[in-house]
Amino acid sequence: LISKFPGKVLIFGSGGAAKAAVYAAKGREIVLVSRNQEETKTEYAKWKIKVISYEEVENEIGNARIIINATPAVPEIANFIDENKVIFDMRYNPLDIGLNKIALEKGATIIHGLEMLAIQAAEAQRIWFGKRANSDIMLKAALNEMTKSK
C-alpha cells in the first residue's frame, strides 16, 4: 500500500502491525515511535532503524512523508499533517474517526486500514484455497457493510 509513495516513514507503535509496516517500508529511512524505547530498540535492532519516544516526535515528523499509525490510539499530530503527507491509519473501524478524518480535513493522502484488511483476506484466500480473491471487491463489500445505516 505504501510502495507507491516515496520518502521517510514515521511509524507509531512497535507491535505486530508496526513490524508489518517496517517490512513494507524496507529500503527507506524509517523512524519508529515507541513508549518502550529500549525494549523496542533491542527488538528491532536487526532492521537498523531509529527508535524514538513520543516526546521526540516533533523533531522527526516534519520531514516524514508517510505517517503510519500501528496503535489502537490516535496520536496527537494534527498540527503536523498537511497536503504533502500520506497518512496510513491501520485501524479500520469506525471509518469516520482517527487520523483519516484529520488527514482529509488537511488535504493529505490517506490509506485506510480497511484496504490492508481486504488485501490480507485475499491473500488468506489464496493460501487456504489456492485461488486469489479480488481485494477491490472485498474492500467495496466491507465498506458497503460498514456504512449501512442500522
Side-chain angles (χ1 to χ4, degrees):
L1 294 172
I2 65 169
S3 62
K4 58 186 167 190
F5 302 102
K8 178 179 175 177
V9 179
L10 183 71
I11 302 169
F12 287 88
S14 57
K19 284 183 181 144
V22 167
Y23 182 78
K26 66 184 173 193
R28 305 172 198 216
E29 181 181 359
I30 301 171
V31 178
L32 199 66
V33 184
S34 174
R35 288 177 292 153
N36 306 310
Q37 258 186 298
E38 292 311 312
E39 182 180 312
T40 303
K41 282 180 184 176
T42 301
E43 189 173 348
Y44 284 81
K46 67 181 175 186
W47 282 301
K48 296 181 173 79
I49 60 177
K50 186 174 186 178
V51 178
I52 64 170
S53 69
Y54 278 80
E55 291 77 28
E56 298 171 281
V57 167
E58 194 168 331
N59 300 329
E60 296 289 339
I61 200 167
N63 62 357
R65 171 85 197 286
I66 302 164
I67 300 169
I68 300 173
N69 181 27
T71 73
V74 178
E76 294 184 24
I77 58 170
N79 293 339
F80 301 101
I81 297 175
D82 61 34
E83 65 278 353
N84 298 311
K85 302 282 191 217
V86 176
I87 306 299
F88 182 9
D89 192 347
M90 290 181 146
R91 300 167 331 123
Y92 50 85
N93 194 11
L95 294 173
D96 61 346
I97 64 166
L99 288 181
N100 289 337
K101 183 177 181 184
I102 295 165
L104 285 172
E105 290 169 357
K106 302 263 188 163
T109 300
I110 67 164
I111 301 171
H112 199 284
L114 198 56
E115 290 181 61
M116 179 182 69
L117 187 64
I119 291 168
Q120 288 173 329
E123 182 62 13
Q125 184 82 10
R126 185 195 62 77
I127 291 168
W128 285 96
F129 302 109
K131 295 180 182 176
R132 180 136 178 102
N134 185 320
S135 62
D136 291 335
I137 292 171
M138 296 172 106
L139 176 60
K140 286 177 187 171
L143 281 169
N144 185 45
E145 286 300 314
M146 292 177 81
T147 56
K148 277 184 182 175
S149 46
K150 297 180 180 180

